[in-house]
Amino acid sequence: MALVTKQRILELILVFLILAKASCDTKPGCPQNCGSLSIPYPFGTREGCYLDDSFFINCTRNSTAPNSPIIPFLRRGTVTVLNISLDGELVISFPVVSDCYSSNGSALSNNNFTDYWRLNLTHFYISTKNKFTAIGCDTYGYLWGYVPHKEISTTIVGCGSFCSSVDDIKTNDGSCSGIGCCQSFIPNGMSGFKIGTLSVNNHSTVHAFNPCGYAFVSHETYKISTVDLKNFTNGTTGVVLDWSVGNQTCEEAKRNVTGYACKANNSECYNSTNGLGYRCKCHSGFQGNPYLYNGCTDVNECNMEPSPCSKICQNSPGSFKCSCPKNFEGDGMINGTGCHRKGKYNDNLILTIALSVSLSMLALLVGGLYLYSQFRKRKLIKVRERYFRQNGGLLLQKQIAKHDGSGERATIFTAQELKKATNNYDEVRIIGKGGHGTVYKGILLDGRVVAVKKSKISGQIEIEQFINEMTVLSQINHRNVVKLLGCCLETEVPTLVYEFITNGTLLDHIQVSQLSWPIRLRIATETAEALAYLHSAASPPIIHRDVKTANILLDDNLTAKVSDFGASKLVAIDQTHLTTLVQGTMGYLDPEYFQSSQLTEKSDVYSFGVVLAELLTSMNAVSFIRPEKQRNLSMYFVSSMKEGHLPHILDKNIVNDANVEQIIEVANLAK
């Protein structure tokens, strides 16, 4: 009878320990789950169970039926929560947007704009683990994000996806590179967004196999398939949010002892890397919930399978110690020397043998390190030589030799020169990032300050075309075009070197500074002269293909410099146009080029007209903050002129110091 009683007591103790362990992540007396979702503190489902209103999980049924499923909603909205992690991540369900059309091009449904902007995402930021994806063969997807606590609080991400037949998808490897689907990275610090889709021809030319376009944000890997083009069945995707506590740093939060969220004794604080606020974690050797008193408990390493010790293991708070039994020696570690019996050899003999072995090993180590260093140097040289030949270095040297007497020639830099110039590509030297690469500030050995563009790895480069463009662009000598000084061909993707322009972009100055009308007029004139030079004086002619205020740099004297020829195309003298994959920036893209894919000099002229409109109005080319009829500046500008409302949209700061006739002439030119 006593034995049965003791056994029953042990069973009750075991059950109690299991329950205590299961509830250690929540406050005492608070629900641990909402349906199948675990709710760790600082999150909670009722008052007193969460840290503040930002971490409230509204646990409710999705209908009045008694057996309807219980759904966890974020705060008091309609966003479904899929998972919560104490590592600072929360996964929500987000809808896929679409626009569908009949065979004659008429709209069947219009779910092409999802508004999550009004969701109050305090302490929650969109994780950069997500990607923005658009699917379709006649689809342009865009994402408009909100970046709080910054002077320019909005950001636009977008991409175009096109194809002419199902065979285009079958020959693709499933990657979203613009054929059938496209993807863009999510910028850091974004706490809200809207997504939408647009169609050029209402899917009329591809309706047989792709009647709809789709767009979504997700952290899951996606590969395109022909089935998805016909009918993409996923209604929602999982989006990762980064959450943090408050809007203070760890140092600031620790000053308020009562409000400091890291309550556990063996916990520590670390600042959020995405937005404001901080998070908590248990010290190394401890586990649990750092937001609760006594929430971080010791990890008993001695009970782990396999044990870290070969013989004796002694656990201690946050650590452990391995040792050996009597008559054994060693560190006792499984991954160390372990434990072995003590020998009975003469100590001097053991010392002699150990010293001899040590000296031999040292000699082998020194020799091995020397041989290894020589091997690495030779291998690195061979790799650089291979990249140099692969990237057309020999062909470029011949082209340089042809122009040796012209006074203008490209310089072929070594990888070591640019590595030293950028301090081994130090992040402090970064002056710009784009979809095709990162730009660093560099200082050459002769003291010249340059801009070094390190491209991202993409597909196989067409070597002869690259060398031809490199040779031609390096010979451009115009005061209003950023000079291409040379390149480095010893890396997998060639690195370009440009002259360094010190005073930012025209876009920066239009948004945050007061440029007078004479300066704006001079910048417009200089930009027009640069484009005229590229179209008419350069041989062969060059179409820039991405003219915008962000690609017009200004030096200390506010002189305009047209930059970023990453999308440019050379035009043969006997050609009137080029047929290319559509590329450009939303709001500046020539509608005729967008629909026909035929690139001409008129495409640059259209984009320049948008730049003139920005100089006159100080408005962005595209802004979803403005009313719907005003979102596209080019359309809004033309309609305002037709209706005689030009004075209403002009920047008031330039009206007072400008010649009215000049403004009207420039406005007509932009139109």
Side-chain angles (χ1 to χ4, degrees):
M1 184 67 180
L3 182 61
V4 175
T5 304
K6 288 182 179 180
Q7 185 177 354
R8 181 60 177 167
I9 292 173
L10 289 174
E11 290 176 353
L12 290 174
I13 291 174
L14 181 62
V15 172
F16 174 77
L17 291 174
I18 293 174
L19 292 175
K21 177 64 179 175
S23 61
C24 66
D25 284 343
T26 58
K27 268 191 163 185
C30 292
Q32 304 167 26
N33 302 290
C34 177
S36 60
L37 177 70
S38 296
I39 312 291
Y41 187 79
F43 292 87
T45 58
R46 64 188 185 204
E47 192 171 349
C49 293
Y50 48 82
L51 181 64
D52 58 44
D53 289 343
S54 300
F55 300 95
F56 171 57
I57 301 296
N58 185 11
C59 190
T60 185
R61 297 188 183 275
N62 64 352
S63 72
T64 58
N67 296 323
S68 61
I70 297 175
I71 307 296
F73 293 107
L74 181 60
R75 302 173 186 158
R76 307 190 187 281
T78 58
V79 180
T80 304
V81 179
L82 303 179
N83 187 57
I84 301 173
S85 167
L86 285 175
D87 294 330
E89 291 185 347
L90 179 142
V91 183
I92 63 171
S93 176
F94 195 86
V96 175
V97 303
S98 61
D99 56 333
C100 297
Y101 302 89
S102 63
S103 57
N104 62 7
S106 59
L108 296 178
S109 65
N110 188 15
N111 183 29
N112 66 340
F113 197 75
T114 301
D115 188 351
Y116 264 48
W117 182 262
R118 298 193 182 109
L119 178 64
N120 181 14
L121 288 178
T122 308
H123 312 318
F124 293 81
Y125 294 84
I126 315 303
S127 173
T128 53
K129 291 182 178 180
N130 301 297
K131 282 186 179 180
F132 173 70
T133 303
I135 303 173
C137 288
D138 183 18
T139 301
Y140 188 91
Y142 61 90
L143 178 149
W144 182 51
Y146 172 64
V147 182
H149 317 296
K150 285 194 176 182
E151 188 170 352
I152 302 174
S153 61
T154 58
T155 183
I156 298 175
V157 175
C159 64
S161 174
F162 304 94
C163 55
S164 57
S165 69
V166 178
D167 293 335
D168 295 342
I169 308 300
K170 293 179 179 178
T171 57
N172 193 5
D173 60 358
S175 62
C176 290
S177 57
I179 302 175
C181 70
C182 63
Q183 288 184 326
S184 296
F185 291 99
I186 300 295
N188 209 38
M190 202 169 68
S191 68
F193 62 84
K194 297 176 180 178
I195 59 176
T197 56
L198 299 172
S199 175
V200 179
N201 299 308
N202 289 358
H203 288 257
S204 57
T205 59
V206 295
H207 186 270
F209 58 91
N210 178 227
C212 304
Y214 308 92
F216 57 86
V217 175
S218 177
H219 70 285
E220 300 166 351
T221 302
Y222 175 76
K223 287 193 174 184
I224 184 64
S225 70
T226 55
V227 175
D228 288 346
L229 285 179
K230 189 70 175 178
N231 182 23
F232 187 68
T233 57
N234 292 11
T236 60
T237 59
V239 179
V240 178
L241 306 180
D242 291 332
W243 62 266
S244 57
V245 177
N247 56 7
Q248 297 177 311
T249 63
C250 290
E251 291 72 17
E252 294 169 340
K254 288 177 182 178
R255 297 171 191 160
N256 182 5
V257 178
T258 57
Y260 184 51
C262 303
K263 301 296 186 183
N265 291 332
N266 297 299
S267 66
E268 58 187 273
C269 176
Y270 63 101
N271 292 325
S272 171
T273 57
N274 187 8
L276 302 178
Y278 64 92
R279 301 191 191 106
C280 309
K281 64 179 179 179
C282 294
H283 289 323
S284 177
F286 292 86
Q287 64 184 359
N289 191 331
Y291 299 94
L292 295 173
Y293 289 104
N294 302 316
C296 292
T297 57
D298 174 54
V299 177
N300 191 339
E301 291 85 357
C302 296
N303 290 338
M304 287 177 147
E305 289 294 339
S307 173
C309 302
S310 61
K311 294 292 184 180
I312 301 173
C313 181
Q314 293 176 309
N315 187 60
S316 60
S319 184
F320 66 98
K321 180 182 178 181
C322 296
S323 59
C324 297
K326 188 177 180 180
N327 297 325
F328 284 78
E329 59 186 358
D331 62 9
M333 300 284 292
I334 287 290
N335 295 326
T337 60
C339 293
H340 52 272
R341 288 187 178 277
K342 293 182 179 179
K344 298 180 180 180
Y345 301 103
N346 184 276
D347 290 341
N348 291 333
L349 178 60
I350 295 175
L351 181 61
T352 302
I353 295 174
L355 184 59
S356 300
V357 172
S358 298
L359 290 174
S360 300
M361 292 297 293
L362 180 61
L364 287 173
L365 180 62
V366 172
L369 288 175
Y370 175 78
L371 292 175
Y372 179 70
S373 64
Q374 293 300 312
F375 172 78
R376 283 199 64 187
K377 285 182 180 179
R378 290 184 180 180
K379 185 177 181 181
L380 185 59
I381 291 172
K382 288 183 179 180
V383 169
R384 288 176 176 174
E385 288 176 350
R386 177 165 59 86
Y387 284 146
F388 186 84
R389 292 192 298 270
Q390 175 181 305
N391 291 326
L394 299 178
L395 180 59
L396 182 58
Q397 285 180 335
K398 291 181 182 178
Q399 294 284 355
I400 291 175
K402 290 181 182 179
H403 298 86
D404 196 31
S406 66
E408 296 294 337
R409 50 179 290 181
T411 301
I412 302 179
F413 296 92
T414 66
Q416 193 62 31
E417 281 180 294
L418 297 187
K419 190 175 181 181
K420 182 175 288 187
T422 58
N423 194 20
N424 197 19
Y425 295 99
D426 191 344
E427 288 188 0
V428 177
R429 295 286 188 92
I430 294 177
I431 56 177
K433 284 187 177 182
H436 300 287
T438 304
V439 183
Y440 297 81
K441 179 181 179 181
I443 304 176
L444 301 178
L445 292 177
D446 59 6
R448 282 185 297 166
V449 180
V450 295
V452 180
K453 184 176 182 180
K454 189 176 183 183
S455 300
K456 293 180 180 177
I457 296 176
S458 58
Q460 176 65 31
I461 297 174
E462 295 178 6
I463 299 302
E464 291 188 7
Q465 181 182 354
F466 168 79
I467 296 304
N468 187 43
E469 292 183 10
M470 174 72 204
T471 305
V472 172
L473 291 176
S474 65
Q475 295 180 72
I476 293 178
N477 188 16
H478 193 279
R479 66 187 297 268
N480 300 120
V481 177
V482 173
K483 179 66 177 174
L484 177 64
L485 303 178
C487 68
C488 172
L489 303 176
E490 293 180 353
T491 52
E492 186 171 358
V493 177
T495 303
L496 302 178
V497 181
Y498 295 87
E499 69 171 317
F500 183 76
I501 308 300
T502 56
N503 208 7
T505 68
L506 176 58
L507 177 64
D508 297 333
H509 286 268
I510 289 178
Q511 291 183 339
V512 301
S513 65
Q514 303 296 329
L515 293 177
S516 65
W517 169 248
I519 292 176
R520 297 185 187 219
L521 186 60
R522 176 171 56 79
I523 291 173
T525 303
E526 291 170 345
T527 305
E529 290 174 352
L531 293 177
Y533 172 85
L534 295 174
H535 293 168
S536 303
S539 181
I542 302 170
I543 301 177
H544 188 281
R545 206 159 61 140
D546 199 15
V547 177
K548 58 183 178 180
T549 51
N551 284 341
I552 300 174
L553 305 180
L554 301 178
D555 63 13
D556 289 334
N557 298 319
L558 297 179
T559 300
K561 301 271 188 177
V562 176
S563 70
D564 197 350
F565 289 82
S568 301
K569 286 291 181 182
L570 304 176
V571 184
I573 296 176
D574 58 345
Q575 282 185 297
T576 59
H577 67 273
L578 292 173
T579 301
T580 70
L581 184 67
V582 176
Q583 188 172 345
T585 302
M586 186 175 166
Y588 297 89
L589 205 56
D590 175 16
E592 187 173 327
Y593 167 46
F594 187 78
Q595 294 183 19
S596 65
S597 297
Q598 293 188 349
L599 180 67
T600 66
E601 297 165 352
K602 294 178 181 179
S603 300
D604 282 353
V605 175
Y606 178 89
S607 302
F608 176 66
V610 180
V611 172
L612 290 179
E614 287 183 85
L615 287 169
L616 287 165
T617 63
S618 294
M619 297 180 183
N620 290 336
V622 175
S623 175
F624 292 93
I625 298 176
R626 300 194 295 260
E628 185 174 352
K629 292 183 178 180
Q630 303 177 14
R631 287 176 182 170
N632 187 300
L633 178 59
S634 59
M635 298 175 62
Y636 179 42
F637 187 89
V638 171
S639 64
S640 297
M641 288 196 65
K642 289 180 178 179
E643 296 168 4
H645 296 159
L646 177 63
H648 298 300
I649 65 171
L650 292 175
D651 185 342
K652 296 179 181 178
N653 294 311
I654 70 171
V655 174
N656 296 331
D657 64 345
N659 184 303
V660 176
E661 293 180 358
Q662 286 183 348
I663 291 180
I664 294 175
E665 288 181 9
V666 174
N668 285 323
L669 184 61
K671 177 182 175 183

